[in-house]
Amino acid sequence: MNTPLIQTCLLIDDNPDDRMLVMRALLQDFPAMRVVHIIDLASFEHRLANDHPDLIVTDYHLGWSNGLALLQRAKAALPNCPVIMFTGTGSEEIAVEAMQSGLDDYVLKAPRHYGLLPTRIRSVLAHKHQQQLLQQTQRALQDSEARLRAIINSGTDYIGMFGKDGSVTYINHAGRTLLQIDLTEDIGSTRISDYMPPWGVQIMLNEAIPHAVRNGVWAGECALMRRDGTEIPVSAVIAAHKFADGSIDFFSGIMRDISERKRYEAQLSHLATHDVLTGLPNRALFTDRLEVAMHDANRQHQLVAVMMLNLDRFKTINDSLGHETGNSLLRAVAERLDKVKGDNNTLARLGGDEFALVCGGLAQLNDASELTRTILGCFEAAFHIEQHELFLTTSIGITVYPLDDRSAIGLLKNAAIALNRSKDLGGDTYQFYTASMNAQSLQHLMLSNALHHALRRDELQLHYQPQINLKSGEICGMEVLLRWTHPQLGNIPPAEFIPIAEKTGLIVAIGEWILRTACQQSIAWQLAGLPALPIAVNLSGRQFAQYNLTQIITHILAQTGLAPHLLELEITESTLIQDIQASIATLRELNNLGIRISIDDFGTGYSSLSYLKSFPISTIKIDQSFVRDIHTDPDDAAIVSAIIAMAKSLGMETIAEGVETSEQLSFLRSRQCDSIQGYYFSRPVTNEMITQMLRENWNLSFVVNS
Ligand code: C2E
Ligand code: MG
Ligand code: MG
């Protein structure tokens, strides 16, 4: 190895002979060396400070100092300058002490040792040189480590190391910031599990570490935890660092905070499972929760009730006050229901004005009825939406797992059937599902399918029931009644299929067909020279609510050429009172066309009579339920008498429906009812039959005489 060049050597010895001997030995090997003789402290200090010696050779025993003191002084001033002590025998102890103080070598002062000196110097210098190289390398390493540390600390990800026993050895700045640990805090005695929630620790123990040990690295999702318990979801890479023999040295972890992404994901999944308007679970989540409740109920031998709610007449509010108000009302309803639904139950909005509730863990059916009553009760108070005070009711259908069905789909279907039944009962009530409801709804389904084809397949027909004027005893008009003859099922009563036609909306097309056919028939009679009598056509609720009703009727009258005063429309009392203001408006439009209007089934709507004044009505049809016992039940007699008297005072005509006996007839005549309709004179009959009646001018005397 090349030893560095020595330029200046301080030679310290009081004995000039010794100095000469040393110098000679030195110059023999290092001819270019400048040897400076030191014989007092002042020149030593001066040379030390100014000559930057590369080597110091000193005796121990000096008149003005000693070798040890000079060594310490020299090492303090020039730590890298090698010092060799060259001294007499008996100084070994001193030499040991000197070595401890940093002496580089010790050579015994004996004549045969002078020649050794250069070799020892070379070896000291070589050692020094190596030391310097080592220091440089160390410095370079330190620099590079500092740079790496700077890189590691400048990032935003957690970077840390932990031993195979889980003890933490390092966490970078970002990691400390994330975990809210002070940058100066000593984390040496903490464990990786101190910075993770229990479930995160499980992932580390069961997945991450075993995988990293087997394959080098593991990547996945986990979580860190602050000391206050806040969890931070992270995407993590855990690496196992191994010794050459394959055993584990330590683990490193790089973890990135993914809270933002998780929040976004949670938002997305909330959107997919919740209703935007009310924030309630949607149908998908509801079905999930129902399935969980069914599963729990199985284990605990309990019941689950599924309730389906539909707001009564919500459409009217929505249509009249606008969607915004409708939406606010739905939100208010959701809030109210949510308060009473019960802690462990799930309330969902299935769509529109339909809500559903799953109540698990029920011991008995009674628990479900109780909750239902609470729900109905929470609608008693008005809803205050904007400036409106709105009263609302709801209908509820209930089905019970496992009694009614064992599948979520089946239960939802049952609840819907029971809900329909509640609606049919007028709303504001609840119904438990029964198997017979299902049979009925199947029948409904079958009929509604068949009804779709009825019109096209010519299965519908019109029958006509004559109406008799009680003064003249003659036919004064007729009611048009629809008949359906199904090829397999035979005659299906209108009471059965008209409500289905209403629900499915088919009544609109069928109703138009009835009107057109009846008008055409009336014209046909007139052309055949028969008397022009008014025809009364029934109008269903749905038809009456059609926005273009007057247009349709005007069109049909124009098409067929029937005079408007020969057309009478029968509208039931219950239809008229659904929305009185809207009814008045429609009735006025119809009245303006010159059409006559009668209130059908009058007396069954429990309505106040006072509004009658505002309706432009020509005839009141007294419902057959009052007529039936008119001569035996004094109440019915009184009601019918009152209706006739009131109608007269309002300038309206009266016709009694369902007259079957001469007693009923005489009573009505005695009360001056204008006309009658019923089996007493004739059942509804076919086109041919009524044509014959008209041609032969049938009248009451026919009945009396027959
Ligand atoms: P409605 O309009 O009150 O019709 C009178 C019902 O009473 C008819 O029943 C008629 O056959 C029956 N009836 C007449 N006289 C007597 C009697 O003396 N005794 C008894 N017990 N019943 C009598 P129908 O034809 O079965 O119709 C039932 C209901 O179906 C009608 O009640 C009406 O609401 C509806 N409907 C019938 N045809 C039509 C139609 O063309 N359009 C609409 N929208 N509804 C109709
Ligand atoms: Mg009628
Ligand atoms: Mg009627």
Side-chain angles (χ1 to χ4, degrees):
M1 174 190 288
N2 285 339
T3 46
L5 217 63
I6 302 173
Q7 290 179 335
T8 307
C9 169
L10 301 189
L11 176 58
I12 310 165
D13 203 320
D14 286 352
N15 185 330
D17 294 341
D18 286 354
R19 283 208 302 273
M20 281 316 293
L21 286 171
V22 170
M23 195 166 85
R24 197 175 301 153
L26 289 176
L27 289 176
Q28 219 161 29
D29 266 53
F30 306 101
M33 186 192 283
R34 183 166 79 94
V35 179
V36 181
H37 297 240
I38 304 291
I39 47 171
D40 58 33
L41 192 59
S43 62
F44 173 69
E45 287 293 352
H46 177 79
R47 296 292 179 182
L48 206 56
N50 298 305
D51 283 16
H52 304 295
D54 308 298
L55 175 70
I56 298 173
V57 177
T58 180
D59 190 7
Y60 181 78
H61 297 288
L62 298 165
W64 41 276
S65 182
N66 67 62
L68 199 59
L70 293 187
L71 167 73
Q72 284 161 352
R73 182 68 203 100
K75 284 292 173 189
L78 299 169
N80 286 325
C81 175
V83 179
I84 295 173
M85 206 175 271
F86 192 60
T87 186
T89 48
S91 312
E92 285 84 356
E93 278 158 27
I94 293 163
V96 170
E97 196 187 343
M99 292 302 270
Q100 281 165 354
S101 295
L103 184 69
D104 294 277
D105 206 355
Y106 170 85
V107 180
L108 203 61
K109 203 191 255 184
R112 59 193 162 88
H113 286 160
Y114 284 94
L116 272 180
L117 207 49
T119 320
R120 301 291 280 268
I121 288 170
R122 275 186 207 289
S123 128
V124 162
L125 286 176
H127 180 68
K128 268 280 171 226
H129 181 62
Q130 256 176 347
Q131 254 183 345
Q132 272 167 5
L133 280 179
L134 196 66
Q135 273 171 3
Q136 272 169 11
T137 315
Q138 265 174 348
R139 228 175 287 125
L141 267 177
Q142 274 166 1
D143 284 355
S144 125
E145 194 189 321
R147 263 182 239 123
L148 279 175
R149 237 175 238 280
I151 292 170
I152 284 173
N153 281 330
S154 65
T156 52
D157 290 345
Y158 165 108
I159 299 175
M161 294 192 283
F162 56 94
K164 57 184 175 192
D165 61 347
S167 56
V168 172
T169 49
Y170 175 75
I171 297 178
N172 71 341
H173 287 187
R176 284 170 180 261
T177 311
L178 197 62
L179 291 166
Q180 293 177 344
I181 303 171
D182 201 280
L183 292 186
T184 57
E185 186 181 321
D186 178 14
I187 47 156
S189 58
T190 61
R191 309 179 67 77
I192 187 72
S193 56
D194 296 339
Y195 304 106
M196 290 185 153
W199 65 269
V201 174
Q202 286 311 309
I203 290 181
M204 285 297 266
L205 290 178
N206 300 333
E207 270 184 53
I209 289 178
H211 189 96
V213 168
R214 271 195 315 274
N215 308 309
V217 279
W218 171 86
E221 283 186 9
C222 194
L224 289 171
M225 187 182 68
R226 295 196 180 120
R227 290 189 179 133
D228 64 4
T230 315
E231 283 184 21
I232 307 154
V234 290
S235 85
V237 175
I238 304 293
H241 302 264
K242 299 180 183 175
F243 290 114
D245 67 356
S247 63
I248 296 295
D249 181 2
F250 69 96
F251 292 96
S252 67
I254 302 177
M255 307 196 200
R256 174 164 296 177
D257 180 357
I258 53 168
S259 308
E260 202 55 42
R261 195 184 89 202
K262 285 278 161 194
R263 254 195 299 278
Y264 186 61
E265 280 174 5
Q267 254 174 13
L268 281 183
S269 106
H270 190 269
L271 278 180
T273 52
H274 287 76
D275 165 45
V276 179
L277 179 68
T278 59
L280 291 177
N282 63 10
R283 187 182 284 270
L285 182 55
F286 180 82
T287 313
D288 273 1
R289 298 266 173 91
L290 172 56
E291 271 161 4
V292 171
M294 283 157 55
H295 190 256
D296 290 350
N298 279 348
R299 278 183 302 150
Q300 288 151 18
H301 306 290
Q302 286 174 322
L303 306 173
V304 180
V306 178
M307 300 185 190
M308 205 178 272
L309 288 83
N310 190 289
L311 306 179
D312 300 326
R313 287 178 283 281
F314 175 74
K315 192 178 173 305
T316 316
I317 295 180
N318 215 29
D319 289 350
S320 50
L321 299 181
H323 275 59
E324 274 310 307
T325 312
N327 283 350
S328 305
L329 183 59
L330 285 173
R331 273 193 291 265
V333 167
E335 245 169 61
R336 244 186 230 188
L337 288 174
D338 205 47
K339 277 196 191 117
V340 299
K341 75 175 201 311
D343 287 345
N344 299 319
N345 300 335
T346 299
L347 173 70
R349 177 168 174 243
L350 302 184
D353 58 345
E354 199 147 273
F355 295 85
L357 191 63
V358 52
C359 326
L362 299 180
Q364 47 183 18
L365 280 183
N366 230 6
D367 300 347
S369 341
E370 225 160 83
L371 179 58
T372 320
R373 281 190 290 271
T374 313
I375 290 174
L376 289 176
C378 86
F379 281 85
E380 272 165 19
F383 289 87
H384 295 275
I385 307 291
E386 292 141 25
Q387 72 279 25
H388 310 287
E389 186 184 44
L390 303 170
F391 286 94
L392 201 63
T393 57
T394 186
S395 304
I396 306 178
I398 312 164
T399 187
V400 179
Y401 174 86
L403 310 180
D404 298 333
D405 204 294
R406 301 190 71 88
S407 72
I409 293 178
L411 289 166
L412 279 166
K413 196 187 80 194
N414 289 351
I417 292 172
L419 170 64
N420 268 340
R421 177 52 61 92
S422 290
K423 284 270 175 205
D424 290 344
L425 291 173
D428 195 15
T429 189
Y430 67 91
Q431 287 285 300
F432 274 93
Y433 169 82
T434 62
S436 67
M437 283 182 188
N438 200 17
Q440 272 175 14
S441 77
L442 277 178
Q443 170 85 355
H444 267 218
L445 188 66
M446 210 258 295
L447 284 185
S448 80
N449 284 340
L451 200 53
H452 263 101
H453 309 295
L455 197 57
R456 211 165 23 89
R457 293 182 184 161
D458 230 6
E459 293 167 11
L460 299 180
Q461 267 184 315
L462 295 186
H463 278 200
Y464 302 85
Q465 187 174 33
Q467 299 171 331
I468 311 299
N469 181 293
L470 284 183
K471 276 203 188 105
S472 65
E474 294 189 333
I475 298 177
C476 59
M478 63 197 80
E479 180 174 4
V480 179
L481 293 158
L482 183 61
R483 295 293 175 259
W484 177 21
T485 314
H486 186 275
Q488 279 85 42
L489 303 170
N491 288 334
I492 298 161
E496 224 170 275
F497 73 82
I498 296 279
I500 296 175
E502 269 274 301
K503 252 188 200 159
T504 53
L506 282 170
I507 195 70
V508 172
I510 294 177
E512 237 184 281
W513 175 83
I514 296 170
L515 268 168
R516 183 170 291 112
T517 313
C519 293
Q520 280 166 347
Q521 185 55 54
S522 179
I523 290 290
W525 282 321
Q526 289 175 44
L527 292 175
L530 296 170
L533 297 178
I535 47 166
V537 175
N538 291 286
L539 212 60
S540 81
R542 186 117 175 200
Q543 281 177 285
F544 186 62
Q546 248 180 299
Y547 71 97
N548 57 349
L549 178 67
T550 38
Q551 267 167 278
I552 293 172
I553 292 174
T554 313
H555 185 61
I556 290 175
L557 287 175
Q559 261 186 336
T560 56
L562 187 73
H565 72 275
L566 291 180
L567 178 63
E568 182 166 306
L569 295 178
E570 292 192 8
I571 301 155
T572 64
E573 185 186 5
S574 49
T575 299
L576 286 178
I577 59 170
Q578 290 249 319
D579 183 347
I580 292 177
Q581 289 314 315
S583 293
I584 292 176
T586 313
L587 289 181
R588 292 222 168 108
E589 280 183 41
L590 294 172
N591 197 47
N592 288 341
L593 294 181
I595 291 170
R596 294 160 59 86
I597 291 155
S598 60
I599 305 191
D600 204 353
D601 304 345
F602 189 81
T604 56
Y606 310 106
S607 53
S608 126
L609 301 178
S610 60
Y611 65 78
L612 271 185
K613 284 199 297 261
S614 17
F615 287 163
I617 286 160
S618 47
T619 312
I620 285 181
K621 293 193 80 171
I622 304 167
D623 191 65
Q624 44 182 285
S625 59
F626 301 106
V627 174
R628 196 172 302 125
D629 301 323
I630 208 167
H631 52 283
T632 52
D633 185 334
D635 284 347
D636 285 350
I639 290 170
V640 171
S641 307
I643 294 175
I644 296 171
M646 182 206 57
K648 274 208 183 329
S649 73
L650 291 171
M652 298 171 183
E653 289 183 12
T654 45
I655 177 163
E657 288 188 276
V659 177
E660 294 182 350
T661 66
S662 58
E663 288 85 353
Q664 291 164 341
L665 177 72
S666 341
F667 178 91
L668 290 161
R669 187 174 266 151
S670 73
R671 292 299 187 278
Q672 293 172 324
C673 182
D674 295 303
S675 36
I676 58 145
Q677 176 185 336
Y679 298 171
Y680 178 72
F681 183 79
S682 168
R683 287 177 178 262
V685 293
T686 58
N687 187 348
E688 293 73 31
M689 188 62 207
I690 191 88
T691 309
Q692 187 187 343
M693 284 177 165
L694 293 175
R695 189 166 291 133
E696 294 173 3
N697 200 12
W698 284 33
N699 57 61
L700 260 188
S701 61
F702 277 55
V703 182
V704 181
N705 298 334
S706 60

